Amino acid sequence: MGRFGFVAKRLLQTIPMLFGIVLIVFLVLQITPGDPARQIVGLRASEAELQEVREELGLDDPVLVQYVRYVGNVLQGDLGYSYKSRKPVSEIIGERIDVTLWLMGSGILLTVLISVPLGVIGALRKDRAADHVIRGLGLVGLSMPPFWTGVILLLLVAIPTGWFPAGGFGETFPDKVRSIFLPALTLAIASSPFIIRGLRASIISVMESEYISTARSIGVAGGRLVRRFVLRNSAGPAITLLAIEMGYLLFGAVVIETTFALPGLGQGLVLAARGRDLPSVQGYTLLFALAVVVVYLVSDIVTAILDPRVEIEA
Amino acid sequence: MSFLSVNDVTVRFSVGSKFAAWIKREKPPILTAVDGISFDAERGESIGIVGESGCGKSTLAKAITGLVPVASGSISLDGEELSGKRDPALRRRIQMVFQDPSSSLNPSLTVEQMLSELLRVHNIVPRDQIADRCVELMDLVKLRTSLLEARPRRMSGGQRQRVGIARALALEPDVLIADESVAALDVSVQAPILNLLNSLREELDLTLMFISHDLAVVRYVSDRVIVMYLGRAVEDRPTSEMFEDPRHPYTKALMAAAPKFGVKKAPGESALKGEPPSALNLPSGCRFRPRCPLAAEICEQTEPGLTGPSEVQRAACHFAWEDEEISS
Amino acid sequence: MSEHILEVRDLEVSFTAHGQTVTPVDGVSLSVTRGEALGIAGESGSGKSLTLKSIIGLLPPNATVVGDLRYALDDEEPIPYAPADVHGHGISIIFQEPMTALNPTMRVGDLIAEGPRIHHGLDKKAARVKAVDLMRQVGIPTPERRARMWPHQLSGGLRQRVMIAAALSTEPSLLLCDEPTTALDVSIQDQILGLLQELRGSLGMSVVFVSHDLAVLGELCDRLAIMYGGRIVETGPVDEVFADPQHPYTEALMTSVPSFDATAEQLRGIDGRPPDPRAFPPGCRFAPRCQYARDECRSAVHELRDVSAGRTTACIYPELIQGVKR
Amino acid sequence: MTEPPASAFDAVTEVVEPLAPLAEPGIWKKMPKKVYVGAAIVLLYMLVAVFAPALAPYDPLEINPVDRLASPSAEHWLGTDELGRDVLSRMIYAARIDIPIGFLGALLPAILGTVLGALAGFYGKWVDTVIMRTADVVQAFPAYILVIVLVFALGQGARSIIIAFTVLAWVIYTRIIRSEVLRVKDLDYIHAAQVAGLPRLRILRVHVIPNVINQTLVYLPNDIVFATLGLAAFSFLGLGIPPPTPEWGAMIAEGQPFLRTNWWLATVPGLVIVGLGLGLSLVGEGLEERLRA
């Protein structure tokens, strides 16, 4: 049984959650004021045209029927058509996902590059000067709105040096790297304080445990101590932390894409929300929620593999 | 009819994951923590219950106080049946003193708030006498009255344990259950608490159930001792008799294993080999058989009953009373 | 060749927090001869465990240790050492709670193999064989199978045996024991004590055993040191200390636990509580709880004086002690 | 790490440490210095919000086409914006938007989440299942995405934002309080109360809640920071407080196009947010330090 059981249980738990997510996204439609049909056909359309669209979309059916249809469509990958561009939402997402993946990927990379060394230094130099500096910076970092950090980076780095574009996403690979660097750095600055804080606490608690004393007493020291006794025990919490951070990173991406005018999913969501384009808003939201569920799932499975104590009861 | 009567009480817990069992198409494993315990106690009697971790002694205590439900069997006090959902007036009559003084008192409340809450909710004394009664309770457990204003954090382990006793006595119980009540205390402060329990029992004519892993401690406070092993009582005898002449091999082993002053440990020797089997996977016949020096064929086939020359002289071993006539 | 394998002189352990310094170990001196088992008895806050941990340098980083610690390698005279020198070379330690003392994410066989791999340069395979041998030596049944298990899959008694095997893997000549049987059931404690007694004999190890339980110490140890309030208050051979305690605290400790073989007489116990290291009383630290205390005790300077051969006490009026009736 | 890790959904409870009870004598005196420093900063912001009309030199909404994008001067300490409005006055008045919404947006979920967490932990069974599965679903939406969706559905404005924050942020309080209630519920003083036959609601009210409620208090300042940052972010995105009402996030957005010439327009409001956030974080961190049992 053991860990296979844990994975199976975790997968099964995800299913009702997915229905809950789709339900919430669907309910947004129900509580949103205004007539979707009217939005599609425009103000000047006749009552007949309006009725035609209503029937086409099934807006007169009972709510439950609409929900079942919505779930069915989602399961087939059909997220509806944008009110604005009349294109399938899934197609719009396909066009924008590239940028967001770039941003998230490089953002996570920079986050790890910044927070792992600082977290480790903070833990090993606990309550010394370096630790105080890192914690102080973390406190400031937590209070900085990410979009403002972006603005500051534009002001202090992009404008004086001219190395990085103030906005937009490049076509060629070097251009892409140049245009994603500052947004990714912004993302990393916003998310690192959490990771640093969590990693520091996790390493400290491992270093203070008695099994580290045991290891040292039998002469395990230095790199061997870290490799064989510290790392695996603090990796689990660190991975979990990174997974949780993904939720914030996704929101950070929304804000930062807007700051840097990056044509990604986040910007798409903001534009759709401003333009009251309901199917697009639903599509983006659903996708973001799915991403979180998958990331949490993967994180839970990885920590389960790392920790022999995770049996099925966990 | 005895004052406190515990009749064939069994307590079960389902353990492990229901999901795992579901996948394997099995029923979730059931752990029988207390397996058919019976004994009677008279008013003012002091019974010691002794055994190692996992023997079910604490679960038995919780079943008697109503903290865990009883799967089968019955408990009655003074002729009244005690079910799991007993009403407060009945619940009041059996009180408990807990093990860990650091977690057995609500850290938010002063001693006076703690005691007066109970006095008020149960209408033990008229409202205007609550303060006086609190002072009396403090005198009873030999604590300074000034500690009424204190919260647990400011008190020592011994003081907290006395407050725990006062809290139990506030409800004027007939039965007091002390569950490992000195185990977490420093050696030098254990004795006064034991002495206090002894004198309170006499003064208030309490029926005392003292639960401990420590035979010597049990001996000091009990008239009669029940030894438990894996959910069963294996021996139930008057204290002095049992300590002079233990009849069950487990009792003998426990007594031999306890460290004694001036006795050197022989290299590699131990009174009891191996470890207890899992309660989920008991051996056939006598459950002590795999570790028992006397184990014979009959022990594999039949589980010995708790029998003996009298109701309070019982042992669950086929060979316990070989040299005596069993009057049944 | 020196008799002593370990010498501790004027050991002080202190912690400073919020501008206040507390000294829970305050001038402890002790020595251990080859093959000897020394028992250190004391209650919570007596400093016994800190004393033990400072011998092997496993105190938390905010602790300040002052004092002269000497350890004798092979047949040499004891020489000063840094704690890292004895890690894996001569001194090992086992702890009270074997669950927290074992790495939860390391198979127990791998943990025991660490010592041989580091210090004897064994390869993975040879070290594993050695680990299984050690597990067999400490009485773990089916050691091949158990070597591949995780700590959480073992019972408390087996975990403590694993801990002992890991401690023995570096072939120590001094084994420190920090209440290793306190968390165990009586019958398992009995087994572990028997095992330690056996290993002492077969390996010729010296042992320092810390416990709150005098009877446990009596089963294993040759000599006793009684600690109270961060100081040693009495030392002597076990039997002599039990028969004729020379410090009122020792006597009180013995009379406050119910005994097994004597008929029930009223236990005496000790009034008050063990002192708080943040506010030790002046003079003899036991004086406020001592039934024999006189005015001079409250200003007495702490000093261990010889009573007879091999026996010392810090009490200035040992002749007042009535003795233990046992 | 002595226990196996919880699922990422429940990971917040791993860092929850027991705190001193609410009624611990003297605990509210002698706070660490950072609490006083932080509280002073927060108080200053509150005073500015309360006395905004007296402090602001101009009407924050008054448009002055002649004096657009003026640099800082004796008349306009922080210059004027695109529409010639006095930036200092707008910053001062923005405190009347950001501070109440930030506080309410954290306080309401704190109350809701604490109650739900206490119920879930104390009563268990189906109550726990319903509350915690709902929490899982809410948590599956990345941070403030759900807020965007709710504001989309409910319409822009302060009311929608506060409702949206409440719908979103109760989860974390519920998880923290539930895990603490579960811990406390298994302590002997609760068993003692049960053995004494005290009514269940009384046990919850007198013996459980006062010993766990400080968790909410310690987390609250951090959550106010999140709520304030969130509000600023939505306004920055044009989904929060609609113009022309002055709001710090919106002011950053309005100033961004003029970064090359009037850099202070976009940077100074951010500094103001950082200042408030720092003050609150100091209070939170200091409180936790003091209360950690």
Side-chain angles (χ1 to χ4, degrees):
Chain A
M1 198 71 232
R3 285 180 236 170
F4 161 73
F6 173 80
V7 173
K9 185 180 182 184
R10 200 55 195 75
L11 278 171
L12 281 179
Q13 279 175 343
T14 308
I15 292 170
M17 201 186 297
L18 291 177
F19 278 95
I21 289 166
V22 176
L23 178 66
I24 287 191
V25 172
F26 171 77
L27 283 179
V28 171
L29 171 91
Q30 299 301 318
I31 58 169
T32 303
D35 183 349
R38 174 61 77 188
Q39 266 190 299
I40 291 172
V41 295
L43 284 173
R44 292 203 200 131
S46 69
E47 194 58 37
E49 283 176 279
L50 204 60
Q51 193 53 40
E52 198 181 312
V53 175
R54 280 212 185 105
E55 266 165 39
E56 190 191 314
L57 294 176
L59 291 175
D60 292 331
D61 295 340
V63 175
L64 198 65
V65 174
Q66 291 190 46
Y67 174 62
V68 172
R69 185 165 53 226
Y70 185 70
V71 171
N73 289 345
V74 168
L75 286 178
Q76 291 166 34
D78 175 7
L79 298 171
Y81 288 83
S82 160
Y83 292 167
K84 290 274 128 58
S85 62
R86 310 305 299 262
K87 284 202 285 188
V89 171
S90 48
E91 200 180 307
I92 301 176
I93 288 178
E95 288 164 10
R96 288 180 170 270
I97 199 163
D98 190 33
V99 179
T100 302
L101 285 179
W102 264 84
L103 177 60
M104 295 299 293
S106 37
I108 291 172
L109 183 71
L110 284 180
T111 301
V112 171
L113 287 180
I114 293 173
S115 49
V116 171
L118 291 184
V120 172
I121 292 171
L124 298 183
R125 297 254 169 275
K126 187 185 167 216
D127 291 329
R128 311 244 196 100
D131 184 33
H132 287 301
V133 170
I134 291 170
R135 286 168 66 187
L137 286 177
L139 226 49
V140 177
L142 279 180
S143 313
M144 294 196 326
F147 54 94
W148 181 74
T149 313
V151 169
I152 294 290
L153 285 177
L154 283 173
L155 180 69
L156 296 182
V157 182
I159 294 177
T161 63
W163 293 344
F164 306 102
F169 191 56
E171 289 293 325
T172 63
F173 184 78
D175 276 355
K176 283 182 180 178
V177 172
R178 283 205 309 146
S179 55
I180 216 72
F181 178 73
L182 286 183
L185 187 61
T186 310
L187 206 52
I189 291 174
S191 61
S192 291
F194 290 96
I195 308 275
I196 293 172
R197 186 192 273 188
L199 196 61
R200 173 182 176 275
S202 155
I203 294 177
I204 287 175
S205 94
V206 171
M207 291 298 289
E208 282 173 357
S209 20
E210 204 157 57
Y211 56 82
I212 295 296
S213 289
T214 302
R216 284 169 54 199
S217 76
I218 55 178
V220 185
R224 192 178 180 91
L225 184 72
V226 173
R227 265 197 329 278
R228 290 176 65 84
F229 288 80
V230 180
L231 269 190
R232 186 163 173 185
N233 286 304
S234 34
I239 287 170
T240 307
L241 211 63
L242 202 61
I244 298 170
E245 198 50 35
M246 281 289 294
Y248 294 96
L249 280 174
L250 279 171
F251 176 68
V254 172
V255 181
I256 289 162
E257 282 174 9
T258 306
T259 313
F260 288 90
L262 288 171
L265 296 174
Q267 193 201 39
L269 173 63
V270 172
L271 292 179
R274 279 198 211 145
R276 306 211 59 77
D277 183 354
L278 180 71
S280 302
V281 170
Q282 285 180 316
Y284 287 123
T285 310
L286 206 54
L287 185 73
F288 281 133
L290 272 180
V292 171
V293 170
V294 170
V295 167
Y296 278 25
L297 186 66
V298 170
S299 139
D300 283 359
I301 292 173
V302 172
T303 28
I305 289 169
L306 281 173
D307 192 320
R309 289 165 300 176
V310 176
E311 305 278 339
I312 189 154
E313 284 82 5
Chain B
M1 190 78 198
S2 303
F3 184 61
L4 172 70
S5 174
V6 173
N7 191 9
D8 200 22
V9 162
T10 297
V11 180
R12 297 197 176 94
F13 300 110
S14 77
V15 292
S17 155
K18 285 179 189 150
F19 176 77
W22 178 74
I23 283 191
K24 285 190 261 185
R25 291 165 195 281
E26 288 168 359
K27 283 190 177 167
I30 302 282
L31 181 116
T32 306
V34 174
D35 194 356
I37 296 275
S38 303
F39 66 88
D40 291 331
E42 299 308 325
R43 190 185 275 276
E45 191 176 5
S46 168
I47 297 189
I49 301 207
V50 80
E52 297 182 279
S53 55
C55 73
K57 56 189 190 298
S58 287
T59 310
L60 176 64
K62 286 185 173 165
I64 295 173
T65 55
L67 278 176
V68 299
V70 168
S72 67
S74 64
I75 301 162
S76 66
L77 180 69
D78 215 358
E80 270 190 278
E81 180 90 2
L82 295 167
S83 66
K85 282 202 192 306
R86 54 192 82 161
D87 69 81
L90 205 51
R91 203 174 261 277
R92 205 205 68 192
R93 301 181 63 183
I94 302 184
Q95 289 301 307
M96 191 154 165
V97 181
F98 294 87
Q99 170 173 3
D100 183 0
S102 67
S103 71
S104 60
L105 301 179
N106 183 344
S108 290
L109 301 183
T110 64
V111 176
E112 178 152 30
Q113 287 168 332
M114 240 176 263
L115 297 177
S116 53
E117 177 189 35
L118 299 175
L119 298 172
R120 206 168 51 240
V121 170
H122 282 279
N123 283 318
I124 305 277
V125 292
R127 296 250 158 164
D128 54 344
Q129 289 171 28
I130 285 179
D132 295 342
R133 181 72 202 161
C134 288
V135 172
E136 286 170 33
L137 284 165
M138 294 297 268
D139 288 344
L140 202 56
V141 296
K142 301 185 176 63
L143 280 176
R144 291 196 315 274
T145 318
S146 59
L147 279 176
L148 277 172
E149 301 305 318
R151 288 189 172 77
R153 205 185 165 107
R154 300 259 178 276
M155 292 186 272
S156 71
Q159 288 172 332
R160 287 185 211 164
Q161 216 56 327
R162 285 172 195 267
V163 172
I165 296 171
R167 175 179 60 192
L169 296 180
L171 297 181
E172 299 176 359
D174 299 310
V175 179
L176 188 65
I177 301 181
D179 185 5
E180 294 277 13
S181 297
V182 297
L185 297 178
D186 264 315
V187 187
S188 68
V189 289
Q190 286 182 7
I193 299 289
L194 294 174
N195 290 336
L196 176 67
L197 285 173
N198 266 343
S199 65
L200 286 172
R201 173 168 70 101
E202 269 171 45
E203 204 174 318
L204 306 172
D205 202 20
L206 287 169
T207 303
L208 182 67
M209 258 180 80
F210 192 91
I211 293 164
S212 176
H213 68 284
D214 188 334
L215 278 168
V217 168
V218 165
R219 173 177 203 183
Y220 186 66
V221 292
S222 313
D223 305 328
R224 176 177 151 207
V225 179
I226 297 174
V227 181
M228 286 182 70
Y229 185 74
L230 285 173
R232 289 261 189 187
V234 295
E235 188 157 356
D236 176 359
R237 310 261 305 283
T239 306
S240 54
E241 198 182 301
M242 194 179 86
F243 276 80
E244 267 159 38
D245 175 27
R247 288 299 170 118
H248 196 282
Y250 179 65
T251 314
K252 283 182 195 161
L254 267 189
M255 287 169 67
K260 288 164 217 69
F261 279 104
V263 179
K264 275 273 179 296
K265 187 81 217 157
E269 283 297 305
S270 62
L272 205 49
K273 306 279 179 232
E275 303 195 7
S278 157
L280 289 171
N281 186 18
L282 290 173
S284 67
C286 173
R287 53 191 70 189
F288 185 59
R289 171 176 60 81
R291 304 173 76 190
C292 183
L294 306 176
E297 208 169 307
I298 182 176
C299 305
E300 207 168 322
Q301 285 146 7
T302 24
E303 182 162 17
L306 190 62
T307 53
S310 80
E311 266 304 294
V312 291
Q313 292 171 293
R314 303 181 293 170
C317 174
H318 295 296
F319 311 111
W321 311 102
E322 268 187 327
D323 49 344
E324 272 169 60
E325 292 270 311
I326 296 180
S327 61
S328 48
Chain C
M1 174 177 158
S2 166
E3 275 287 284
H4 290 165
I5 188 163
L6 178 78
E7 288 176 356
V8 176
R9 290 269 160 272
D10 304 322
L11 176 72
E12 261 186 50
V13 180
S14 55
F15 298 86
T16 303
H18 308 295
Q20 195 196 7
T21 302
V22 292
T23 311
V25 177
D26 190 6
V28 163
S29 300
L30 52 86
S31 58
V32 183
T33 56
R34 283 174 200 283
E36 180 188 46
L38 171 72
I40 303 181
E43 295 177 279
S44 58
S46 64
K48 58 188 190 303
S49 209
L50 290 173
T51 302
L52 198 71
K53 284 183 177 153
S54 48
I55 292 173
I56 193 166
L58 288 178
L59 293 173
N62 59 340
T64 313
V65 183
V66 183
D68 182 24
L69 295 164
R70 289 164 187 264
Y71 174 73
L73 272 169
D74 306 319
D75 290 345
E76 316 276 321
E77 286 293 312
I79 48 163
Y81 65 92
D85 299 342
V86 295
H87 288 164
H89 299 279
I91 307 184
S92 281
I93 185 165
I94 59 177
F95 298 103
Q96 172 171 353
E97 193 31 86
M99 184 67 219
T100 55
L102 298 177
N103 184 352
T105 60
M106 193 178 233
R107 292 177 199 274
V108 295
D110 293 344
L111 176 71
I112 301 169
E114 284 291 280
R117 284 185 69 182
I118 300 171
H119 302 294
H120 307 300
L122 295 187
D123 63 21
K124 224 173 174 173
K125 213 170 158 191
R128 200 164 283 169
V129 173
K130 174 84 180 156
V132 171
D133 283 348
L134 282 162
M135 288 174 77
R136 191 172 293 118
Q137 194 182 356
V138 298
I140 296 177
T142 61
E144 292 85 358
R145 192 168 65 83
R146 292 236 159 73
R148 290 191 302 275
M149 290 180 133
W150 305 102
H152 74 274
Q153 295 171 318
L154 301 175
S155 69
L158 285 182
R159 275 183 216 138
Q160 195 56 287
R161 286 176 194 264
V162 166
M163 187 67 223
I164 294 172
L168 295 182
S169 71
T170 60
E171 297 173 6
S173 35
L174 174 63
L175 181 66
L176 308 178
C177 304
D178 189 5
E179 303 237 18
T181 61
T182 304
L184 303 174
D185 270 324
V186 187
S187 68
I188 309 297
Q189 159 171 289
D190 182 53
Q191 293 172 2
I192 297 290
L193 289 176
L195 171 68
L196 288 172
Q197 191 73 302
E198 179 188 338
L199 294 170
R200 257 187 79 193
S202 60
L203 304 174
M205 273 187 313
S206 307
V207 170
V208 179
F209 196 107
V210 160
S211 177
H212 68 282
D213 188 335
L214 279 175
V216 165
L217 294 174
E219 297 234 334
L220 193 70
C221 298
D222 308 313
R223 217 153 49 82
L224 271 185
I226 314 286
M227 281 189 78
Y228 187 84
R231 292 168 172 169
I232 291 179
V233 296
E234 172 167 9
T235 67
V238 168
D239 300 335
E240 289 180 37
V241 173
F242 283 171
D244 179 23
Q246 289 294 313
H247 195 283
Y249 177 63
T250 315
E251 182 209 30
L253 264 189
M254 295 183 64
T255 52
S256 52
V257 284
S259 94
F260 224 88
D261 11 301
T263 44
E265 57 181 277
Q266 183 83 351
L267 289 176
R268 267 197 272 158
I270 316 177
D271 293 334
R273 53 165 122 170
D276 184 338
R278 283 169 295 191
F280 282 134
C284 170
R285 287 175 180 172
F286 185 61
R289 301 173 74 192
C290 181
Q291 57 171 329
Y292 311 113
R294 301 190 175 178
D295 287 345
E296 300 91 287
C297 295
R298 298 178 215 286
S299 56
V301 177
H302 178 84
E303 185 198 3
L304 274 177
R305 289 167 301 104
D306 291 338
V307 191
S308 57
R311 297 204 62 185
T312 61
T313 179
C315 183
I316 53 174
Y317 294 118
E319 64 276 7
L320 293 176
I321 297 168
Q322 286 158 357
V324 191
K325 276 172 260 144
R326 278 200 181 270
Chain D
M1 180 167 91
T2 50
E3 292 289 315
S7 159
F9 278 102
D10 210 16
V12 59
T13 58
E14 273 184 63
V15 293
V16 175
E17 287 185 47
L19 297 176
L22 195 59
E24 178 78 28
I27 196 115
W28 300 107
K29 298 168 205 154
K30 268 199 356 202
M31 282 286 164
K33 239 181 246 146
K34 50 176 93 165
V35 174
Y36 295 116
V37 175
I41 296 175
V42 176
L43 193 69
L44 187 71
Y45 274 82
M46 286 177 157
L47 288 176
V48 167
V50 171
F51 296 107
L55 292 169
Y58 298 91
D59 179 348
L61 301 178
E62 189 188 290
I63 294 172
N64 186 355
V66 188
D67 216 3
R68 294 174 59 229
L69 293 171
S71 298
S73 63
E75 269 166 70
H76 300 283
W77 289 6
L78 288 173
T80 59
D81 68 5
E82 202 183 354
L83 298 174
R85 295 174 294 199
D86 180 59
V87 173
L88 179 64
S89 302
R90 287 181 67 73
M91 298 259 294
I92 291 172
Y93 268 92
R96 309 192 113 190
I97 295 293
D98 285 85
I99 291 178
I101 297 181
F103 275 71
L104 268 184
L107 205 59
L108 294 183
I111 295 168
L112 178 67
T114 305
V115 170
L116 288 177
L119 293 177
F122 192 69
Y123 287 103
K125 304 209 175 97
W126 65 268
V127 180
D128 189 35
T129 309
V130 169
I131 293 175
M132 295 325 287
R133 292 297 81 80
T134 312
D136 286 348
V137 171
V138 171
Q139 215 181 335
F141 293 91
Y144 293 107
I145 300 283
L146 194 60
V147 179
I148 296 185
V149 174
L150 284 168
V151 171
F152 175 84
L154 299 171
Q156 271 187 342
R159 195 184 57 110
S160 304
I161 292 226
I162 293 173
I163 293 177
F165 279 166
T166 308
V167 169
L168 172 89
W170 63 275
V171 173
I172 194 142
Y173 292 100
T174 296
R175 288 198 188 278
I176 293 172
I177 293 297
R178 173 178 175 269
S179 82
E180 272 297 282
V181 169
L182 284 179
R183 182 183 66 82
V184 167
K185 204 170 85 166
D186 209 32
L187 294 179
D188 279 342
Y189 62 83
I190 302 299
H191 294 156
Q194 289 168 337
V195 171
L198 297 182
R200 289 189 80 174
L201 208 59
R202 187 180 177 87
I203 296 178
L204 179 64
R205 197 164 49 82
V206 178
H207 297 272
V208 177
I209 300 233
N211 294 315
V212 302
I213 193 77
N214 273 348
Q215 299 286 351
T216 300
L217 282 176
V218 164
Y219 187 70
L220 191 61
N222 297 312
D223 201 32
I224 299 174
V225 178
F226 291 142
T228 313
L229 290 185
L231 170 66
F234 295 120
S235 304
F236 175 82
L237 296 174
L239 299 167
I241 305 299
T245 312
E247 194 284 333
W248 293 327
M251 290 177 72
I252 297 176
E254 289 159 13
Q256 199 187 345
F258 309 102
L259 208 50
R260 280 169 197 278
T261 49
N262 298 43
W263 56 266
W264 54 88
L265 287 181
T267 50
V268 176
L271 280 179
V272 169
I273 298 176
V274 172
L276 178 62
L278 264 179
L280 288 162
S281 302
L282 286 174
V283 171
E285 209 171 77
L287 270 184
E288 191 178 348
E289 237 166 66
R290 181 77 176 95
L291 292 177
R292 199 173 289 156

